[in-house]
Amino acid sequence: MGLIIAYILFLLNLLSIIPTMYPLYIWKLVTTGSARRLGDRLLLKVGEIWIENNYRISRILYGVQFEVVGDAYKDLKPDGRYMIICNHQSWSDIYIIQSVLNRKIPLIRFFIKDSLKYVPILGHAWLALDFPFVKRSTKEQLKKNPELATKDLENVKNVCAKFAGMPFSILNFLEGHRRTPERVQKLLKKNPYKHLLRPHSGGISVVSTTLKNSLDAFIDLTIVYPTENPSFLELMQGKIRKLKVFVDVIPASLVPVEENEQFAPMSKKMKRWVDERWALKDVLIEKEKQPK
């Protein structure tokens, strides 16, 4: 019964943004200059209220609490320019990240498949809030036409370029997939980590290089669930009520961002940095999993 109530409340919260989101989106499409910027600011407020209400629902229904660990958390700025990386275990991750960082930093955006812009309400909200939509070629398409890889990278660069010079937060799950038991077993021989999947550095390297003159810092999040294989359903059922989110903020000047855009997709120094971060994460999670 509690799950049904939760879903109804989440649905009502989503529907509640319609009366304000669509008029503001239309306003944004037909205006320019300061009038358009006003529409953008109001749309961001709508997004922040939606995120806050989502967290309120789970907190009121089940007493869900996210313990944030890290001194740098209090120094985050709502007008900063951040690249966010995080381990990826469940569909709950985005919900948790948004809840923890809401209003602490600019509204978090993440790359979305171009086809998802047609999803009712949510797709329109992502469009209104300038989420970066990208078209990615499939493995089969790349085999037939390898030049599509270059086209995909150019698409990512063009999407990122519009964030230059303005406050932004871009989330990137470097593992590329959720850490499910099936995927862990499949990648067992190629995975050096106990609690993580091997990260991919090419995407974040391209984005970081494109935005290198705008970046303030990288936010490295590590979510530690109380269970080994968490699910979004368990969170919505109130089976996961407490978890930890470790926050580490690394100034952009301390991250080896590739200067040359040509070398960014295969940057060895960025790969080393990402691998080092993931090794630290694995040790941290192992420590937290130990019986207290």
Side-chain angles (χ1 to χ4, degrees):
M1 186 65 183
L3 179 62
I4 295 174
I5 294 174
Y7 274 118
I8 290 174
L9 290 175
F10 281 120
L11 179 60
L12 289 175
N13 187 35
L14 180 61
L15 295 176
S16 71
I17 70 175
I18 291 177
T20 50
M21 181 192 72
Y22 281 104
L24 286 172
Y25 185 31
I26 294 172
W27 171 269
K28 176 178 172 178
L29 291 176
V30 300
T31 58
T32 58
S34 58
R36 177 174 178 139
R37 288 193 292 273
L38 174 61
D40 280 331
R41 289 195 296 271
L42 293 175
L43 279 166
L44 290 175
K45 294 296 182 184
V46 172
E48 290 171 350
I49 292 170
W50 177 69
I51 291 169
E52 183 178 359
N53 286 339
N54 278 335
Y55 180 44
R56 282 176 176 170
I57 290 169
S58 60
R59 194 174 63 216
I60 292 171
L61 281 180
Y62 305 117
V64 171
Q65 295 179 352
F66 304 143
E67 181 183 349
V68 181
V69 183
D71 293 337
Y73 177 68
K74 65 180 182 299
D75 296 325
L76 294 173
K77 300 176 181 178
D79 60 348
R81 298 169 175 85
Y82 301 109
M83 188 73 62
I84 307 168
I85 59 176
C86 185
N87 55 320
H88 194 21
Q89 301 161 88
S90 166
W91 292 116
S92 307
D93 296 341
I94 292 177
Y95 167 75
I96 293 164
I97 294 168
Q98 287 180 327
S99 299
V100 167
L101 296 178
N102 189 36
R103 293 196 171 104
K104 296 286 184 181
I105 61 176
L107 185 79
I108 298 170
R109 298 176 174 91
F110 43 87
F111 288 97
I112 302 176
K113 291 181 181 179
D114 190 72
S115 58
L116 293 180
K117 67 174 62 170
Y118 303 108
V119 174
I121 305 179
L122 270 179
H124 300 151
W126 290 328
L127 279 169
L129 292 167
D130 290 321
F131 273 63
F133 288 88
V134 292
K135 294 181 180 179
R136 292 192 180 95
S137 303
T138 64
K139 290 183 178 179
E140 291 74 19
Q141 290 173 327
L142 290 172
K143 285 181 180 179
K144 293 180 181 179
N145 186 3
E147 293 182 359
L148 287 175
T150 302
K151 186 177 180 181
D152 290 345
L153 287 175
E154 287 301 320
N155 182 28
V156 171
K157 291 177 185 177
N158 292 335
V159 168
C160 290
K162 69 179 181 181
F163 292 115
M166 61 180 284
F168 64 82
S169 301
I170 298 178
L171 170 63
N172 198 323
F173 288 117
L174 304 189
E175 292 161 306
H177 303 280
R178 289 174 293 119
R179 186 182 180 275
T180 62
E182 297 77 17
R183 193 162 282 121
V184 169
Q185 188 62 36
K186 181 180 179 181
L187 303 174
L188 190 61
K189 294 182 180 179
K190 299 179 180 179
N191 185 23
Y193 308 106
K194 184 175 181 180
H195 302 284
L196 305 165
L197 296 179
R198 186 188 293 273
H200 305 284
S201 60
I204 191 174
S205 182
V206 170
V207 175
S208 301
T209 297
T210 303
L211 294 169
K212 61 181 180 291
N213 296 322
S214 301
L215 272 173
D216 292 331
F218 285 68
I219 302 175
D220 185 0
L221 301 178
T222 304
I223 301 175
V224 183
Y225 289 88
T227 58
E228 186 62 29
N229 298 303
S231 69
F232 186 67
L233 183 60
E234 288 177 322
L235 185 66
M236 294 302 98
Q237 289 176 318
K239 293 181 179 180
I240 299 175
R241 301 196 179 192
K242 289 186 178 182
L243 54 82
K244 287 186 177 181
V245 181
F246 290 84
V247 181
D248 195 5
V249 180
I250 306 100
S253 59
L254 299 181
V255 180
V257 175
E258 185 64 57
E259 292 293 325
N260 192 322
E261 290 190 1
Q262 183 180 352
F263 301 140
M266 299 171 289
S267 174
K268 291 183 179 179
K269 58 184 181 180
M270 179 59 85
K271 184 180 185 305
R272 283 194 298 270
W273 182 80
V274 167
D275 288 343
E276 289 170 1
R277 299 305 307 179
W278 248 244
L280 292 172
K281 282 180 184 292
D282 208 44
V283 171
L284 173 60
I285 296 173
E286 174 64 18
K287 181 179 178 181
E288 287 297 312
K289 293 288 186 180
Q290 296 298 320
K292 298 295 189 289

